[in-house]
């Protein structure tokens, strides 16, 4: 990945990278990736995707 693309990704533009590439990149940097699927709380609204970095 080129540095300008990485910079855009870190600034919140994740559409530049596929999910597969992002997961490979995270694990290459010794990061564990955990995906949790749960019901959305509000009926009639679309679900959401949230990124929560570990403390």
């Amino acid at each position: 990945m080129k540095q300008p693309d990485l910079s855009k990704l870190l600034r919140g533009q994740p559409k530049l990278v596929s999910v597969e590439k992002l997961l490979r990149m995270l694990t290459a940097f010794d990061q564990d990736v955990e995906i949790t699927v749960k019901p959305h709380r509000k009926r009639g609204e679309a679900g959401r995707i949230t990124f929560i970095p570990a403390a």
Side-chain angles (χ1 to χ4, degrees), residues 1 41-42 53:
M1 174 176 276
R41 292 184 181 187
K42 294 183 182 179

Side-chain angles (χ1 to χ4, degrees), residues 15-27:
K15 293 180 183 179
L16 299 173
V17 179
S18 69
V19 172
E20 182 180 353
K21 190 178 235 181
L22 180 59
L23 293 175
R24 280 189 280 143
M25 188 173 23
L26 288 168
T27 56

Side-chain angles (χ1 to χ4, degrees), residues 1-11 16:
M1 174 176 276
K2 296 178 182 177
Q3 191 280 328
D5 293 337
L6 178 60
S7 180
K8 289 177 185 176
L9 175 67
L10 294 173
R11 285 183 297 188
L16 299 173

Side-chain angles (χ1 to χ4, degrees), residues 16-55:
L16 299 173
V17 179
S18 69
V19 172
E20 182 180 353
K21 190 178 235 181
L22 180 59
L23 293 175
R24 280 189 280 143
M25 188 173 23
L26 288 168
T27 56
F29 287 112
D30 296 327
Q31 300 296 303
D32 289 333
V33 178
E34 181 177 302
I35 298 173
T36 304
V37 178
K38 61 184 180 180
H40 187 61
R41 292 184 181 187
K42 294 183 182 179
R43 279 211 154 143
E45 289 186 11
R48 60 185 171 175
I49 298 172
T50 306
F51 175 73
I52 303 170

